[in-house]
């Protein structure tokens, strides 16, 4: 993991939609009280675009108790949406989650794996097309005459 520690305003951070879908907004009063008393003990992890990867609830609790800025870990290794989603799920593996949340996490990870496999296949097809001298690779193309027929 490649990262830097930065001091940022918490209102600059944004929530990732998948985090909200998987883990929701619900905060326990005892957690808010802990953040009020001790602050954010473990820094929030964010992408370079300040999207929260780990620490959505810490962020919410900090904002609720009036913490304006704090240190965050900026993950330099998260360069695409799939990496962000994977990191978001991996950062929550150690937490107690319902069977429903675990199932949804597995579905998201399987979808990411499928998309990456498809991307590799397209890339490999382009490499093969270049190797045999084709100018442009098209993995599939409909014929413009496919649906025409003479009665």
């Amino acid at each position: 993991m490649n990262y830097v520690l930065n001091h940022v305003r918490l209102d600059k951070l944004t929530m990732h939609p998948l985090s909200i879908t998987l883990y929701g907004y619900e905060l326990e009063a005892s957690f808010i009280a802990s953040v009020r008393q001790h602050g954010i003990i473990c820094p929030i992890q964010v992408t370079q675009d300040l999207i929260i990867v780990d620490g959505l609830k810490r962020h919410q609790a900090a904002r609720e108790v009036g913490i304006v800025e704090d240190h965050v870990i900026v993950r330099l290794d998260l360069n695409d949406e799939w990496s962000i989603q994977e990191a978001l799920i991996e950062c929550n593996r150690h937490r107690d989650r319902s069977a429903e949340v675990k199932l949804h996490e597995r579905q998201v990870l399987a979808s990411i794996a499928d998309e990456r496999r498809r991307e590799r296949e397209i890339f490999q097809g382009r490499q093969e097309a270049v190797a045999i001298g084709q100018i442009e690779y098209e993995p599939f193309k409909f014929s413009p005459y496919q649906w025409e027929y003479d009665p």
Side-chain angles (χ1 to χ4, degrees):
M1 178 169 76
N2 192 5
Y3 65 91
V4 294
L5 189 65
N6 269 352
H7 198 80
V8 300
R9 290 183 50 88
L10 296 181
D11 62 355
K12 299 293 182 190
L13 305 182
T14 57
M15 300 177 210
H16 192 282
L18 179 61
S19 182
I20 296 164
T21 300
L22 289 175
Y23 310 116
Y25 288 105
E26 197 173 312
L27 288 176
E28 294 179 15
S30 61
F31 183 66
I32 296 169
S34 173
V35 171
R36 181 177 284 114
Q37 182 177 356
H38 303 288
I40 299 175
I41 296 170
C42 183
I44 297 168
Q45 292 185 37
V46 298
T47 66
Q48 294 177 60
D49 296 328
L50 301 179
I51 298 169
I52 300 170
V53 175
D54 181 37
L56 173 66
K57 295 195 178 188
R58 281 173 271 161
H59 174 257
Q60 290 174 285
R63 301 252 339 245
E64 189 163 316
V65 301
I67 298 173
V68 176
E69 50 186 52
D70 206 343
H71 284 94
V72 298
I73 295 172
V74 181
R75 298 272 308 264
L76 304 174
D77 60 331
L78 303 177
N79 300 319
D80 61 68
E81 182 60 24
W82 298 331
S83 297
I84 294 168
Q85 289 181 16
E86 284 177 327
L88 197 148
I89 290 170
E90 292 302 325
C91 287
N92 284 285
R93 282 217 189 262
H94 68 282
R95 293 190 171 91
D96 188 25
R97 301 164 335 277
S98 69
E100 182 181 353
V101 168
K102 290 178 184 180
L103 175 63
H104 194 171
E105 288 174 337
R106 282 194 298 276
Q107 291 169 338
V108 170
L109 291 173
S111 173
I112 291 168
D114 289 344
E115 290 297 323
R116 285 196 166 143
R117 192 173 17 265
R118 252 185 246 116
E119 189 176 77
R120 278 192 305 274
E121 289 170 0
I122 290 171
F123 181 74
Q124 185 177 10
R126 287 184 183 139
Q127 285 182 320
E128 290 170 2
V130 169
I132 61 171
Q134 290 180 346
I135 295 174
E136 190 172 319
Y137 169 71
E138 294 183 31
F140 186 78
K141 183 176 181 181
F142 282 104
S143 165
Y145 308 106
Q146 181 173 356
W147 302 108
E148 293 182 12
Y149 63 94
D150 289 328

